């Protein structure tokens, strides 16, 4: 089980990272007309984390990305013991 302190550190790191991205409009220059995605990855002494944020005017784009990720997780996860 993930400890509360570890979860809080991960959430804090992600929030600070996303806030930094949001503060500069230049990070969003030349975006596609309808779809935007953001990926961040990090780690500490105990483990690794990643986040994917996706925005689209077309709901199917987001649904497709989630299905792709779920498929990757299912293939990559080691068998249960």
């Amino acid at each position: 089980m993930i400890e509360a302190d570890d979860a809080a550190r991960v959430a804090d790191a992600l929030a600070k990272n996303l806030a930094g991205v949001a503060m500069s409009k230049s990070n969003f220059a030349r975006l596609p007309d309808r779809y935007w995605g953001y990926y961040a990855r990090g780690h500490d002494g105990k483990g690794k984390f990643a986040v994917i944020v996706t925005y689209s005017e077309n709901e199917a784009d987001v649904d497709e990305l989630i299905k792709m990720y779920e498929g990757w997780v299912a293939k990559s996860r080691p068998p249960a013991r």
Side-chain angles (χ1 to χ4, degrees), residues 18-44:
L18 285 170
V21 170
M23 293 298 164
S24 176
K25 290 183 182 180
S26 67
N27 289 323
F28 303 97
R30 296 192 299 266
L31 287 176
D33 291 338
R34 298 170 31 113
Y35 190 89
W36 174 75
Y38 172 78
Y39 173 74
R41 180 177 174 162
H43 62 87
D44 65 13

Side-chain angles (χ1 to χ4, degrees), residues 18-75:
L18 285 170
V21 170
M23 293 298 164
S24 176
K25 290 183 182 180
S26 67
N27 289 323
F28 303 97
R30 296 192 299 266
L31 287 176
D33 291 338
R34 298 170 31 113
Y35 190 89
W36 174 75
Y38 172 78
Y39 173 74
R41 180 177 174 162
H43 62 87
D44 65 13
K46 289 187 174 182
K48 297 179 182 179
F49 62 88
V51 64
I52 300 170
V53 177
T54 304
Y55 170 81
S56 177
E57 293 175 357
N58 180 1
E59 185 178 346
D61 292 338
V62 176
D63 292 340
E64 184 62 28
L65 179 64
I66 292 169
K67 285 179 189 174
M68 289 170 41
Y69 176 75
E70 288 172 343
W72 175 80
V73 168
K75 290 178 188 174

